[in-house]
Amino acid sequence: MIVNRVENIDEDLLGMVVSTEEEAYNLYNNYATRVGFSVRRGQKRYNTKKVMRQFSYLCSKEGFRLDSDTSELSNVSKLETRTCCKASIRFAFQDEDDTWKVSYFVPEHNHELAKLEERQFLR
């Protein structure tokens, strides 16, 4: 179920090219701030020579928190903030020109996005 599709941001990042991992993070983080969500780093994939070939960034509400050890009882139970959101971006290395290209992009979120006046408080 898609709860919030952003109408005023029609950016499609698919196919965009950056030269470094830091530039890629800044690209997606700036996009996320404009839309109203925060970002966390995802999986990195390496080839057999231990050279990074792909990396991804995710909505901070992707997945669910891992269950803690049941033998350790806690007095405080934390609020569940993750919603298994599928919004993400993946960059793949391009051998021809040594750049990183967006190979996968999902803009849809399944949760409420931050309002304009709340976006300054995003991570």
Side-chain angles (χ1 to χ4, degrees):
M1 171 174 77
I2 298 171
V3 174
N4 203 341
R5 171 81 182 181
V6 180
E7 284 82 19
N8 60 351
I9 303 278
D10 289 331
E11 291 183 64
D12 186 13
L13 301 179
L14 193 62
M16 291 194 74
V17 176
V18 295
S19 55
T20 64
E21 185 180 356
E22 182 180 347
E23 203 176 308
Y25 177 75
N26 290 335
L27 172 76
Y28 195 55
N29 202 30
N30 290 337
Y31 168 78
T33 303
R34 287 191 306 274
V35 173
F37 67 98
S38 56
V39 174
R40 65 188 175 97
R41 296 181 193 271
Q43 184 178 30
K44 292 182 179 182
R45 294 182 181 209
Y46 297 86
N47 65 8
T48 56
K49 296 177 184 173
K50 307 283 189 231
V51 176
M52 188 169 34
R53 304 304 294 173
Q54 287 183 346
F55 59 90
S56 61
Y57 297 108
L58 317 164
C59 174
S60 62
K61 295 192 177 217
E62 185 273 338
F64 291 106
R65 186 174 44 221
L66 296 174
D67 291 334
S68 60
D69 188 7
T70 55
S71 64
E72 297 177 18
L73 294 176
S74 174
N75 292 341
V76 181
S77 60
K78 293 182 181 178
L79 182 64
E80 182 61 62
T81 57
R82 294 198 186 170
T83 63
C84 201
C85 182
K86 299 296 181 193
S88 63
I89 192 168
R90 182 181 310 136
F91 291 86
F93 188 70
Q94 303 299 305
D95 288 322
E96 313 79 61
D97 51 3
D98 292 338
T99 58
W100 296 94
K101 184 176 181 180
V102 177
S103 61
Y104 181 77
F105 176 62
V106 179
E108 290 87 13
H109 296 266
N110 66 354
H111 55 89
E112 192 72 28
L113 297 173
K115 297 178 185 123
L116 187 59
E117 61 273 6
E118 298 169 338
R119 291 180 188 168
Q120 63 189 0
F121 301 114
L122 293 173
R123 272 191 308 139

